[in-house]
């Protein structure tokens, strides 16, 4: 995609639970362009996962519109659209006994189990190249189940990249990672941002420390509504974060990395 191409756009998108009428998202408008790296932040229940499900073509809005990769939800085959969106989530179902290379291969078919007849020599080589790009080529024959949390996360990123997506969604990819594993994944995401200049990413996380220096934009959600969005240095302020999370928060930055801590009441 060319620079500044819109890869995802929500226009007054709302989501209501049909059974109870509960408002999950309320009048959310947001645009993500190629090459942009966004963080999606908010307290539990703010609507982060629902926004990611909309952009990931996993659900439709109740009202408003959602456009992803040039297609409007409701006018496109959602399964075909999902094939062009990379998704990384710690809750993804992956066969624990499958080798890392096999797990990456399944990204080509978008399946949990491998479809061996679909993987020619070129596809298999591409999986090896992605493992190398994520600096885990030595894990190719290792069972996914015995890999560390950080290794698993990078295997899932490689899997998501098999479709050569223009949009990569990361739903709490740092969940339960120890410090070295977290830093390995942050470094990997930073490298991807530098080498894949057209790739847009959206990262959902609870901790500013998990944001790579490549994150240039932030969307803050509060109770299903957009509190604010824009360049990270304008959004990640103590005032904005305090407003978003409902308690005093101090924000600092060091060598491109962010830190948030609770201030005194």
């Amino acid at each position: 995609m060319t620079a500044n191409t819109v890869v995802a756009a929500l226009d007054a998108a709302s989501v209501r639970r049909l059974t109870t009428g509960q408002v999950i998202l309320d009048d959310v408008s947001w645009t993500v362009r190629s090459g942009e790296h966004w963080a999606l932040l908010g307290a539990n229940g703010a609507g982060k996962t629902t926004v990611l499900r909309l952009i990931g073509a996993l659900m439709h809005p109740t009202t408003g519109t959602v456009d992803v990769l040039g297609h409007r939800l409701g006018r496109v085959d959602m399964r075909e659209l999902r094939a062009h969106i990379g998704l990384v989530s710690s809750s993804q179902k992956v066969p624990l006994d499958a080798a890392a290379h096999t797990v990456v291969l399944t990204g080509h078919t978008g399946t949990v189990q491998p479809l061996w007849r679909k993987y020619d020599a070129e596809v298999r080589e591409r999986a090896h190249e992605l493992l190398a790009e994520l600096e885990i080529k030595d894990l190719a024959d290792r069972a996914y189940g015995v890999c560390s949390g950080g290794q698993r996360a990078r295997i899932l990123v490689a899997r998501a990249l098999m479709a050569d997506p223009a949009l990569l969604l990361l739903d709490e990819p740092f969940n339960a990672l120890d410090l070295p594993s977290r830093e390995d994944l942050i470094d990997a995401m930073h490298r991807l941002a530098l080498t894949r200049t057209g790739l847009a990413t959206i990262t959902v996380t609870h901790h500013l420390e998990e944001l790579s220096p490549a994150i240039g934009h932030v969307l803050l959600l509060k109770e299903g509504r957009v509190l604010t969005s824009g360049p990270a240095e304008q959004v990640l302020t103590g005032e904005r974060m305090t407003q978003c999370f409902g308690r005093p928060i101090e924000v600092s930055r060091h060598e491109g990395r962010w830190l948030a801590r609770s201030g005194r009441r």
Side-chain angles (χ1 to χ4, degrees), residues 12 32 36 95 152 161 184 230:
V32 177
E36 292 182 344
R152 290 187 187 188
L161 293 173
D184 285 344

Side-chain angles (χ1 to χ4, degrees), residues 6-76:
V6 173
V7 295
L10 281 66
D11 185 7
S14 297
V15 173
R16 291 175 175 80
R17 204 179 302 279
L18 294 179
T19 54
T20 63
Q22 178 188 2
V23 177
I24 308 299
L25 287 182
D26 188 10
D27 196 31
V28 172
S29 295
W30 181 33
T31 300
V32 177
R33 294 177 170 82
S34 59
E36 292 182 344
H37 303 286
W38 283 82
L40 181 53
L41 305 175
N44 288 336
K48 302 185 300 295
T49 297
T50 302
V51 169
L52 219 59
R53 285 177 58 81
L54 288 173
I55 294 178
L58 292 167
M59 64 183 297
H60 292 89
T62 307
T63 58
T65 61
V66 177
D67 294 278
V68 182
L69 302 180
H71 300 281
R72 177 154 297 179
L73 301 193
R75 302 178 184 174
V76 63

Side-chain angles (χ1 to χ4, degrees), residues 68-103:
V68 182
L69 302 180
H71 300 281
R72 177 154 297 179
L73 301 193
R75 302 178 184 174
V76 63
D77 186 318
M78 299 276 271
R79 292 170 299 178
E80 290 186 7
L81 183 55
R82 283 197 295 271
H84 300 284
I85 303 168
L87 174 63
V88 176
S89 171
S90 58
S91 63
Q92 281 175 279
K93 294 181 179 179
V94 177
L96 296 180
D97 59 346
H101 183 258
T102 299
V103 173

Side-chain angles (χ1 to χ4, degrees), residues 216-250:
H217 298 79
V218 177
L219 174 73
L220 293 185
L221 281 177
K222 183 174 184 179
E223 298 176 350
R225 297 183 64 90
V226 174
L227 180 62
T228 187
S229 68
E233 59 271 15
Q234 296 178 17
V235 175
L236 294 181
T237 66
E239 180 182 1
R240 292 294 193 184
M241 293 292 286
T242 296
Q243 188 178 2
C244 184
F245 289 94
R247 66 176 298 153
I249 294 177
E250 298 175 357

Side-chain angles (χ1 to χ4, degrees), residues 88 100 104 126-139 150-162 168 170 181 183-193 195-196 199:
V88 176
V104 177
R126 175 164 171 72
H128 280 298
E129 290 172 354
L130 287 170
L131 286 170
E133 184 177 358
L134 272 297
E135 298 188 349
I136 47 173
K137 64 180 181 180
D138 56 318
L139 301 180
Q151 291 169 340
R152 290 187 187 188
R154 283 186 283 167
I155 291 169
L156 292 180
V157 172
R159 179 186 185 276
L161 293 173
M162 275 297 287
L168 180 62
L170 301 112
S181 296
E183 293 301 303
D184 285 344
L185 182 55
I186 290 171
D187 288 344
M189 296 311 303
H190 193 200
R191 288 195 305 273
L192 283 180
T195 58
R196 294 173 176 261
L199 179 67

